[in-house]
Amino acid sequence: SPTSINDYLNCPRRYYHRRIQKLKGKPNIYMIRGSAAHSAKQNFYKFNLHRCANVHFDDLRRTAIELMEDEFNDRVDKIGGAQAFGITDDEMQFLVHESRDMMINFLDEFIKSHGFEREKPLIETPIYSKDLPLMARLDSLDLHADPPVVRDLKTSQSKEITPDIERQMGLCALLVHEKYGTWPDLEVHFLRFKDGVVKLNVPQSERDSIAALVESVYEKTESRSIRDYPCTCGCCAKNQNYALVL
């Protein structure tokens, strides 16, 4: 997957601990919230809120916020509450408030982009390559647009298109191109921000190198020996738990 490829490129040793040894790390409240945001968006479409154009905005917003709160609180409670993450109740409440704002930003963007009038995109859909050892789960794929649009949700604290994000989106674009015969437009929706949608594209000159990258990482990760996975981040070789916290 794009995530595992990024893991390897960021640090082979961390990849080894996570993907081969399958060691579980400490719970991370921000990863939990990111997972909750994806599920809340999925439920937004599952419960047909995208077809509720005649519902008063305040009621629609309240329902959308509840989707996010339910997903977030359920995940936190299953792990053991705020204390399990080493944060105070006040800090947890701040995160809950931020999560509400994220869902409001999602709804505002949905309305601004005429979401009620458009066909439903594919949500959280897996896509597999026939030619490469690669698969991904796309947050959103709009096949009714021309060209298709792949949109990814991020709950990060900045709108920076990092190398990891650029690589992830390029890999997703490669999968869509292979399956549907066209290169999609790419968008990243940073939920912490109003007007948080950032567009990007895969330059023609880089498209062949994406497939080569997949094959290269696959070959390098066939080994099951830890000796073939050096630490390049400078931390996890000293402390194995560091690789699991990130």
Side-chain angles (χ1 to χ4, degrees):
S1 69
T3 302
S4 62
I5 289 174
N6 277 334
D7 275 351
Y8 178 82
L9 294 175
N10 287 326
C11 180
R13 180 62 55 85
R14 195 192 316 172
Y15 172 94
Y16 179 84
H17 291 317
R18 287 179 173 178
R19 306 289 174 172
I20 297 177
Q21 287 188 309
K22 300 188 183 299
L23 299 180
K24 293 183 179 181
K26 296 179 180 179
N28 182 308
I29 188 62
Y30 297 103
M31 291 180 67
I32 292 295
R33 185 169 65 175
S35 173
H38 283 80
S39 293
K41 176 183 177 179
Q42 191 172 17
N43 288 335
F44 180 87
Y45 287 97
K46 177 181 177 180
F47 299 143
N48 290 322
L49 297 184
H50 65 297
R51 290 296 174 258
C52 293
N54 295 326
V55 174
H56 192 281
F57 177 74
D58 288 344
D59 294 330
L60 185 62
R61 181 175 60 178
R62 186 182 309 111
T63 302
I65 290 173
E66 287 174 355
L67 291 177
M68 181 64 173
E69 289 182 336
D70 288 348
E71 292 292 337
F72 184 50
N73 291 333
D74 183 59
R75 285 165 168 76
V76 170
D77 291 344
K78 284 181 178 178
I79 292 176
Q83 293 73 22
F85 298 96
I87 62 177
T88 66
D89 289 338
D90 286 343
E91 290 171 326
M92 181 62 74
Q93 285 305 309
F94 176 76
L95 290 171
V96 170
H97 181 77
E98 273 193 335
S99 301
R100 293 171 183 159
D101 288 344
M102 288 181 186
M103 205 61 193
I104 291 172
N105 289 339
F106 165 78
L107 183 59
D108 287 347
E109 174 61 30
F110 173 83
I111 293 173
K112 186 176 73 173
S113 61
H114 307 287
F116 290 122
E117 303 162 20
R118 300 200 319 267
E119 294 292 334
K120 176 184 175 182
L122 298 176
I123 302 296
E124 296 292 331
T125 185
I127 185 169
Y128 300 85
S129 171
K130 294 181 179 179
D131 302 321
L132 296 168
L134 180 66
M135 69 80 60
R137 183 174 292 275
L138 306 182
D139 289 355
S140 174
L141 173 59
D142 185 355
L143 292 174
H144 302 282
D146 185 18
V149 177
V150 174
R151 177 176 286 190
D152 192 68
L153 296 186
K154 298 294 183 189
T155 57
S156 48
Q157 298 195 24
S158 81
K159 291 170 64 176
E160 178 188 2
I161 299 294
T162 64
D164 278 11
I165 293 176
E166 192 170 28
R167 191 181 302 118
Q168 171 203 348
M169 298 302 289
L171 291 165
C172 292
L174 176 68
L175 287 166
V176 171
H177 173 262
E178 182 184 308
K179 184 168 184 178
Y180 297 103
T182 184
W183 286 90
D185 285 345
L186 302 173
E187 299 177 350
V188 179
H189 190 182
F190 294 96
L191 291 178
R192 286 173 56 91
F193 302 89
K194 292 184 180 297
D195 300 318
V197 175
V198 177
K199 300 179 184 295
L200 63 157
N201 61 70
V202 181
Q204 183 71 40
S205 59
E206 297 180 9
R207 292 176 180 178
D208 290 341
S209 65
I210 297 174
L213 173 65
V214 175
E215 293 174 335
S216 173
V217 171
Y218 178 75
E219 291 175 1
K220 293 175 180 177
T221 54
E222 288 188 293
S223 171
R224 292 299 178 263
S225 171
I226 193 173
R227 292 191 299 272
D228 295 322
Y229 297 85
C231 172
T232 57
C233 70
C235 297
C236 60
K238 301 175 184 177
N239 179 6
Q240 179 172 303
N241 286 332
Y242 177 84
L244 305 179
V245 171
L246 293 181

PDB file of all heavy atoms in Angstrom, residues 113-132:
ATOM      1  N   SER A 113     -19.156  22.735  -3.038  1.00  0.00           N
ATOM      2  CA  SER A 113     -18.843  22.040  -4.297  1.00  0.00           C
ATOM      3  C   SER A 113     -20.073  21.379  -4.914  1.00  0.00           C
ATOM      4  O   SER A 113     -19.940  20.501  -5.767  1.00  0.00           O
ATOM      5  CB  SER A 113     -17.752  20.992  -4.045  1.00  0.00           C
ATOM      6  OG  SER A 113     -18.188  20.018  -3.112  1.00  0.00           O
ATOM      7  N   HIS A 114     -21.276  21.790  -4.459  1.00  0.00           N
ATOM      8  CA  HIS A 114     -22.550  21.311  -5.029  1.00  0.00           C
ATOM      9  C   HIS A 114     -22.707  19.799  -4.862  1.00  0.00           C
ATOM     10  O   HIS A 114     -23.172  19.103  -5.762  1.00  0.00           O
ATOM     11  CB  HIS A 114     -22.660  21.693  -6.508  1.00  0.00           C
ATOM     12  CG  HIS A 114     -22.433  23.151  -6.776  1.00  0.00           C
ATOM     13  ND1 HIS A 114     -23.366  24.114  -6.443  1.00  0.00           N
ATOM     14  CD2 HIS A 114     -21.373  23.813  -7.308  1.00  0.00           C
ATOM     15  CE1 HIS A 114     -22.906  25.308  -6.774  1.00  0.00           C
ATOM     16  NE2 HIS A 114     -21.697  25.161  -7.296  1.00  0.00           N
ATOM     17  N   GLY A 115     -22.332  19.326  -3.678  1.00  0.00           N
ATOM     18  CA  GLY A 115     -22.389  17.892  -3.415  1.00  0.00           C
ATOM     19  C   GLY A 115     -23.780  17.294  -3.505  1.00  0.00           C
ATOM     20  O   GLY A 115     -23.928  16.124  -3.882  1.00  0.00           O
ATOM     21  N   PHE A 116     -24.798  18.081  -3.160  1.00  0.00           N
ATOM     22  CA  PHE A 116     -26.167  17.561  -3.237  1.00  0.00           C
ATOM     23  C   PHE A 116     -26.566  17.243  -4.677  1.00  0.00           C
ATOM     24  O   PHE A 116     -27.413  16.393  -4.921  1.00  0.00           O
ATOM     25  CB  PHE A 116     -27.157  18.564  -2.645  1.00  0.00           C
ATOM     26  CG  PHE A 116     -27.061  18.725  -1.156  1.00  0.00           C
ATOM     27  CD1 PHE A 116     -26.799  19.967  -0.591  1.00  0.00           C
ATOM     28  CD2 PHE A 116     -27.235  17.640  -0.316  1.00  0.00           C
ATOM     29  CE1 PHE A 116     -26.719  20.120   0.788  1.00  0.00           C
ATOM     30  CE2 PHE A 116     -27.156  17.785   1.062  1.00  0.00           C
ATOM     31  CZ  PHE A 116     -26.890  19.027   1.620  1.00  0.00           C
ATOM     32  N   GLU A 117     -25.961  17.945  -5.617  1.00  0.00           N
ATOM     33  CA  GLU A 117     -26.358  17.817  -7.019  1.00  0.00           C
ATOM     34  C   GLU A 117     -25.529  16.773  -7.759  1.00  0.00           C
ATOM     35  O   GLU A 117     -25.904  16.365  -8.861  1.00  0.00           O
ATOM     36  CB  GLU A 117     -26.202  19.171  -7.714  1.00  0.00           C
ATOM     37  CG  GLU A 117     -27.009  20.285  -7.052  1.00  0.00           C
ATOM     38  CD  GLU A 117     -26.519  21.669  -7.455  1.00  0.00           C
ATOM     39  OE1 GLU A 117     -25.845  21.774  -8.507  1.00  0.00           O
ATOM     40  OE2 GLU A 117     -26.794  22.633  -6.709  1.00  0.00           O
ATOM     41  N   ARG A 118     -24.431  16.349  -7.183  1.00  0.00           N
ATOM     42  CA  ARG A 118     -23.536  15.426  -7.881  1.00  0.00           C
ATOM     43  C   ARG A 118     -23.860  13.979  -7.528  1.00  0.00           C
ATOM     44  O   ARG A 118     -24.473  13.689  -6.489  1.00  0.00           O
ATOM     45  CB  ARG A 118     -22.073  15.704  -7.518  1.00  0.00           C
ATOM     46  CG  ARG A 118     -21.605  17.107  -7.867  1.00  0.00           C
ATOM     47  CD  ARG A 118     -20.085  17.174  -7.940  1.00  0.00           C
ATOM     48  NE  ARG A 118     -19.450  16.424  -6.888  1.00  0.00           N
ATOM     49  CZ  ARG A 118     -19.079  16.935  -5.715  1.00  0.00           C
ATOM     50  NH1 ARG A 118     -19.328  18.204  -5.454  1.00  0.00           N
ATOM     51  NH2 ARG A 118     -18.489  16.191  -4.810  1.00  0.00           N
ATOM     52  N   GLU A 119     -23.431  13.077  -8.402  1.00  0.00           N
ATOM     53  CA  GLU A 119     -23.569  11.656  -8.115  1.00  0.00           C
ATOM     54  C   GLU A 119     -22.651  11.279  -6.954  1.00  0.00           C
ATOM     55  O   GLU A 119     -21.602  11.897  -6.735  1.00  0.00           O
ATOM     56  CB  GLU A 119     -23.202  10.827  -9.354  1.00  0.00           C
ATOM     57  CG  GLU A 119     -24.153  10.999 -10.536  1.00  0.00           C
ATOM     58  CD  GLU A 119     -25.518  10.407 -10.254  1.00  0.00           C
ATOM     59  OE1 GLU A 119     -25.608   9.476  -9.431  1.00  0.00           O
ATOM     60  OE2 GLU A 119     -26.504  10.883 -10.856  1.00  0.00           O
ATOM     61  N   LYS A 120     -23.032  10.254  -6.226  1.00  0.00           N
ATOM     62  CA  LYS A 120     -22.247   9.804  -5.080  1.00  0.00           C
ATOM     63  C   LYS A 120     -20.911   9.233  -5.539  1.00  0.00           C
ATOM     64  O   LYS A 120     -20.866   8.384  -6.433  1.00  0.00           O
ATOM     65  CB  LYS A 120     -23.038   8.736  -4.313  1.00  0.00           C
ATOM     66  CG  LYS A 120     -22.278   8.119  -3.151  1.00  0.00           C
ATOM     67  CD  LYS A 120     -23.097   7.019  -2.511  1.00  0.00           C
ATOM     68  CE  LYS A 120     -22.317   6.299  -1.422  1.00  0.00           C
ATOM     69  NZ  LYS A 120     -23.102   5.189  -0.827  1.00  0.00           N
ATOM     70  N   PRO A 121     -19.805   9.693  -4.950  1.00  0.00           N
ATOM     71  CA  PRO A 121     -18.513   9.095  -5.299  1.00  0.00           C
ATOM     72  C   PRO A 121     -18.351   7.739  -4.619  1.00  0.00           C
ATOM     73  O   PRO A 121     -19.124   7.383  -3.711  1.00  0.00           O
ATOM     74  CB  PRO A 121     -17.505  10.104  -4.739  1.00  0.00           C
ATOM     75  CG  PRO A 121     -18.221  10.725  -3.570  1.00  0.00           C
ATOM     76  CD  PRO A 121     -19.678  10.783  -3.975  1.00  0.00           C
ATOM     77  N   LEU A 122     -17.390   6.966  -5.058  1.00  0.00           N
ATOM     78  CA  LEU A 122     -17.027   5.745  -4.347  1.00  0.00           C
ATOM     79  C   LEU A 122     -16.278   6.139  -3.085  1.00  0.00           C
ATOM     80  O   LEU A 122     -15.353   6.944  -3.128  1.00  0.00           O
ATOM     81  CB  LEU A 122     -16.152   4.854  -5.235  1.00  0.00           C
ATOM     82  CG  LEU A 122     -16.786   4.355  -6.530  1.00  0.00           C
ATOM     83  CD1 LEU A 122     -15.769   3.567  -7.346  1.00  0.00           C
ATOM     84  CD2 LEU A 122     -18.019   3.509  -6.241  1.00  0.00           C
ATOM     85  N   ILE A 123     -16.681   5.572  -1.951  1.00  0.00           N
ATOM     86  CA  ILE A 123     -16.112   5.950  -0.663  1.00  0.00           C
ATOM     87  C   ILE A 123     -15.388   4.749  -0.045  1.00  0.00           C
ATOM     88  O   ILE A 123     -15.930   3.649   0.012  1.00  0.00           O
ATOM     89  CB  ILE A 123     -17.218   6.440   0.309  1.00  0.00           C
ATOM     90  CG1 ILE A 123     -17.960   7.637  -0.299  1.00  0.00           C
ATOM     91  CG2 ILE A 123     -16.625   6.796   1.667  1.00  0.00           C
ATOM     92  CD1 ILE A 123     -17.105   8.867  -0.500  1.00  0.00           C
ATOM     93  N   GLU A 124     -14.157   5.004   0.428  1.00  0.00           N
ATOM     94  CA  GLU A 124     -13.352   3.963   1.077  1.00  0.00           C
ATOM     95  C   GLU A 124     -13.319   2.693   0.221  1.00  0.00           C
ATOM     96  O   GLU A 124     -13.568   1.590   0.702  1.00  0.00           O
ATOM     97  CB  GLU A 124     -13.893   3.661   2.479  1.00  0.00           C
ATOM     98  CG  GLU A 124     -13.809   4.823   3.459  1.00  0.00           C
ATOM     99  CD  GLU A 124     -12.384   5.192   3.834  1.00  0.00           C
ATOM    100  OE1 GLU A 124     -11.522   4.295   3.815  1.00  0.00           O
ATOM    101  OE2 GLU A 124     -12.136   6.376   4.133  1.00  0.00           O
ATOM    102  N   THR A 125     -13.012   2.878  -1.035  1.00  0.00           N
ATOM    103  CA  THR A 125     -13.038   1.746  -1.952  1.00  0.00           C
ATOM    104  C   THR A 125     -11.628   1.201  -2.190  1.00  0.00           C
ATOM    105  O   THR A 125     -10.698   1.966  -2.454  1.00  0.00           O
ATOM    106  CB  THR A 125     -13.682   2.153  -3.296  1.00  0.00           C
ATOM    107  OG1 THR A 125     -13.805   1.025  -4.127  1.00  0.00           O
ATOM    108  CG2 THR A 125     -12.857   3.214  -4.007  1.00  0.00           C
ATOM    109  N   PRO A 126     -11.444  -0.113  -2.091  1.00  0.00           N
ATOM    110  CA  PRO A 126     -10.126  -0.693  -2.377  1.00  0.00           C
ATOM    111  C   PRO A 126      -9.905  -0.794  -3.882  1.00  0.00           C
ATOM    112  O   PRO A 126     -10.846  -1.003  -4.656  1.00  0.00           O
ATOM    113  CB  PRO A 126     -10.205  -2.081  -1.741  1.00  0.00           C
ATOM    114  CG  PRO A 126     -11.665  -2.415  -1.752  1.00  0.00           C
ATOM    115  CD  PRO A 126     -12.407  -1.116  -1.608  1.00  0.00           C
ATOM    116  N   ILE A 127      -8.673  -0.631  -4.297  1.00  0.00           N
ATOM    117  CA  ILE A 127      -8.323  -0.736  -5.704  1.00  0.00           C
ATOM    118  C   ILE A 127      -6.987  -1.466  -5.800  1.00  0.00           C
ATOM    119  O   ILE A 127      -6.053  -1.170  -5.055  1.00  0.00           O
ATOM    120  CB  ILE A 127      -8.284   0.657  -6.369  1.00  0.00           C
ATOM    121  CG1 ILE A 127      -8.043   0.540  -7.870  1.00  0.00           C
ATOM    122  CG2 ILE A 127      -7.300   1.583  -5.706  1.00  0.00           C
ATOM    123  CD1 ILE A 127      -8.260   1.853  -8.618  1.00  0.00           C
ATOM    124  N   TYR A 128      -6.913  -2.430  -6.697  1.00  0.00           N
ATOM    125  CA  TYR A 128      -5.749  -3.305  -6.794  1.00  0.00           C
ATOM    126  C   TYR A 128      -5.125  -3.185  -8.181  1.00  0.00           C
ATOM    127  O   TYR A 128      -5.816  -3.003  -9.176  1.00  0.00           O
ATOM    128  CB  TYR A 128      -6.148  -4.767  -6.562  1.00  0.00           C
ATOM    129  CG  TYR A 128      -6.757  -5.039  -5.212  1.00  0.00           C
ATOM    130  CD1 TYR A 128      -8.122  -4.831  -4.999  1.00  0.00           C
ATOM    131  CD2 TYR A 128      -5.984  -5.508  -4.160  1.00  0.00           C
ATOM    132  CE1 TYR A 128      -8.696  -5.075  -3.759  1.00  0.00           C
ATOM    133  CE2 TYR A 128      -6.546  -5.766  -2.916  1.00  0.00           C
ATOM    134  CZ  TYR A 128      -7.904  -5.547  -2.719  1.00  0.00           C
ATOM    135  OH  TYR A 128      -8.474  -5.791  -1.491  1.00  0.00           O
ATOM    136  N   SER A 129      -3.798  -3.338  -8.202  1.00  0.00           N
ATOM    137  CA  SER A 129      -3.089  -3.372  -9.477  1.00  0.00           C
ATOM    138  C   SER A 129      -3.010  -4.807  -9.976  1.00  0.00           C
ATOM    139  O   SER A 129      -2.788  -5.735  -9.203  1.00  0.00           O
ATOM    140  CB  SER A 129      -1.677  -2.805  -9.318  1.00  0.00           C
ATOM    141  OG  SER A 129      -0.912  -3.023 -10.493  1.00  0.00           O
ATOM    142  N   LYS A 130      -3.176  -4.973 -11.287  1.00  0.00           N
ATOM    143  CA  LYS A 130      -3.004  -6.294 -11.898  1.00  0.00           C
ATOM    144  C   LYS A 130      -1.545  -6.566 -12.232  1.00  0.00           C
ATOM    145  O   LYS A 130      -1.134  -7.720 -12.351  1.00  0.00           O
ATOM    146  CB  LYS A 130      -3.849  -6.406 -13.165  1.00  0.00           C
ATOM    147  CG  LYS A 130      -5.355  -6.367 -12.926  1.00  0.00           C
ATOM    148  CD  LYS A 130      -6.114  -6.503 -14.245  1.00  0.00           C
ATOM    149  CE  LYS A 130      -7.616  -6.485 -14.022  1.00  0.00           C
ATOM    150  NZ  LYS A 130      -8.372  -6.584 -15.312  1.00  0.00           N
ATOM    151  N   ASP A 131      -0.772  -5.496 -12.390  1.00  0.00           N
ATOM    152  CA  ASP A 131       0.600  -5.646 -12.862  1.00  0.00           C
ATOM    153  C   ASP A 131       1.654  -5.423 -11.786  1.00  0.00           C
ATOM    154  O   ASP A 131       2.805  -5.839 -11.947  1.00  0.00           O
ATOM    155  CB  ASP A 131       0.867  -4.657 -14.010  1.00  0.00           C
ATOM    156  CG  ASP A 131      -0.103  -4.857 -15.166  1.00  0.00           C
ATOM    157  OD1 ASP A 131      -0.420  -6.022 -15.479  1.00  0.00           O
ATOM    158  OD2 ASP A 131      -0.538  -3.846 -15.744  1.00  0.00           O
ATOM    159  N   LEU A 132       1.272  -4.760 -10.698  1.00  0.00           N
ATOM    160  CA  LEU A 132       2.236  -4.411  -9.658  1.00  0.00           C
ATOM    161  C   LEU A 132       1.763  -4.914  -8.307  1.00  0.00           C
ATOM    162  O   LEU A 132       0.562  -5.082  -8.084  1.00  0.00           O
ATOM    163  CB  LEU A 132       2.406  -2.889  -9.592  1.00  0.00           C
ATOM    164  CG  LEU A 132       2.985  -2.189 -10.822  1.00  0.00           C
ATOM    165  CD1 LEU A 132       2.798  -0.688 -10.702  1.00  0.00           C
ATOM    166  CD2 LEU A 132       4.457  -2.530 -10.980  1.00  0.00           C
TER     167      LEU A 132
END
